[in-house]
Amino acid sequence: MDAWRNDMTSESNAPRKRNHLAGIVAIVAAMQVIAFSDAAAKYLSLTLPLMAVIWGRFFFHALFTGVYVGFKHGPRALNPAMSGVLAARGAALFCAVGLLYATIQRIPLATGLTLWFVEPFILTLLCRWLLKEKVSAAQWAAIAVGFAGVVIAIKPTVAPFDVAYLTGLGAGVFYALFLFLTRYIDGDTPQLVSVFHTGLVGAAAASILVLFSWPAAGPTVWEWTLLMFAGGAAAVAHIFVIKSFEKTDASVIAPYTYSEIIMAAILGYLVFGDRPDRWLIIGCALIITSGIIVGRHKTRE
């Protein structure tokens, strides 16, 4: 998901032929593939330390996208000439994915992604407070509805509050920060190169932190396979996202990014036996609807 909206900063102003259907198909495919990556991460977290799972996701993501970048743009594009913005952006994504994995380790996959979807509201608030962008009454109303959806989805009761709800919301906050920083990336940087460098930051950070929690016996062959799958699936999803922006506009694509929740719910049920309840469905519907309203109003400004 971290490549989504990169077109805001790196898209050429040259006119292009639009193919909305191809763009929609590409973004829906990307969202379904990334759901498999998240499901693999949740499955791995049952037997491996969480940091080892995060390392595998970023290391193999950087490896596979690096190979593709080298083939597409030449070996010189792999030069990690990091700017402060790229490094901060990569750190924000690392925190977002790490918190998401910590969340789905404890609660159902669909519930964790529902909390992740607070990103449009947080991004709007960041732009309002830091960039002094205008926020319409409709956007404020949509934000309020979205937060109501979060409350409904997590069903606060007298039962002990699971810290995973907070880490899930934290993941959405850091992902919003990641997208906010995307606005400041050099417009001459190709999208795919930016995605590789972002993954490289996460891989470097995880490679240091994983030294303190690497399993003594090491991952099994099956676990290595799933680690490669998680990173590889994320890389493939990002390539699909980039292709979608080559075909159509962000305003067309935005509503379809929420389709990830469909595959997440299916995988959560088939692999982990998690059955979404009516409160999660209602809360998720409110969050998605309000997120689409916020996005639509933003593209019209």
Side-chain angles (χ1 to χ4, degrees):
M1 288 179 70
D2 52 303
W4 129 255
R5 294 189 189 175
N6 275 7
D7 70 315
M8 291 181 178
T9 57
S10 57
E11 187 174 359
S12 170
N13 291 324
R16 297 173 299 171
K17 184 178 180 181
R18 306 280 80 183
N19 187 337
H20 299 312
L21 180 59
I24 291 170
V25 169
I27 197 66
V28 171
M31 295 301 100
Q32 308 318 300
V33 171
I34 200 67
F36 277 91
S37 176
D38 293 338
K42 179 177 175 65
Y43 185 86
L44 283 164
S45 69
L46 300 176
T47 57
L48 287 178
L50 186 61
M51 187 51 64
V53 180
I54 297 171
W55 172 84
R57 186 257 187 245
F58 277 102
F59 177 82
F60 289 109
H61 173 198
L63 177 63
F64 293 138
T65 54
V67 171
Y68 190 75
V69 164
F71 176 79
K72 187 84 172 178
H73 297 284
R76 294 186 63 183
L78 299 175
N79 178 25
M82 288 287 178
S83 67
V85 173
L86 269 176
R89 182 173 174 266
L93 181 64
F94 175 77
C95 292
V97 172
L99 288 171
L100 176 64
Y101 283 8
T103 300
I104 62 178
Q105 183 184 38
R106 297 175 59 94
I107 64 177
L109 185 61
T111 305
L113 286 176
T114 297
L115 299 173
W116 172 279
F117 288 151
V118 302
E119 166 270 314
F121 321 130
I122 303 300
L123 180 60
T124 300
L125 294 175
L126 286 174
C127 292
R128 173 66 182 88
W129 291 334
L130 300 180
L131 301 181
K132 307 303 180 184
E133 290 187 0
K134 182 180 179 181
V135 179
S136 67
Q139 285 177 290
W140 283 121
I143 289 171
V145 171
F147 279 115
V150 171
V151 173
I152 292 172
I154 64 179
K155 308 182 298 298
T157 65
V158 294
F161 187 81
D162 197 320
V163 71
Y165 294 134
L166 295 180
T167 58
L169 292 173
V173 170
F174 275 104
Y175 187 56
L177 180 60
F178 161 81
L179 293 175
F180 180 80
L181 292 171
T182 297
R183 295 176 173 222
Y184 297 96
I185 293 177
D186 180 5
D188 295 329
T189 303
Q191 295 179 32
L192 190 59
V193 173
S194 172
V195 170
F196 165 68
H197 285 172
T198 302
L200 195 62
V201 171
S207 294
I208 296 173
L209 295 174
V210 78
L211 295 176
F212 302 97
S213 59
W214 189 255
T220 64
V221 173
W222 172 239
E223 288 168 339
W224 273 115
T225 302
L226 286 181
L227 286 170
M228 288 188 286
F229 174 80
V236 170
H238 296 150
I239 293 172
F240 271 124
V241 170
I242 290 171
K243 294 299 181 183
S244 71
F245 282 118
E246 291 175 355
K247 299 297 183 180
T248 190
D249 304 309
S251 59
V252 175
I253 290 171
Y256 296 93
T257 61
Y258 292 104
S259 64
E260 181 184 359
I261 196 69
I262 299 173
M263 184 56 69
I266 293 173
L267 292 174
Y269 176 71
L270 294 178
V271 180
F272 307 104
D274 297 326
R275 187 188 299 272
D277 60 24
R278 61 180 178 177
W279 298 113
L280 176 63
I281 294 172
I282 294 171
C284 185
L286 288 174
I287 292 170
I288 290 174
T289 301
S290 54
I292 291 173
I293 292 173
V294 168
R296 288 294 189 181
H297 275 264
K298 203 144 192 75
T299 57
R300 292 171 187 168
E301 294 177 357

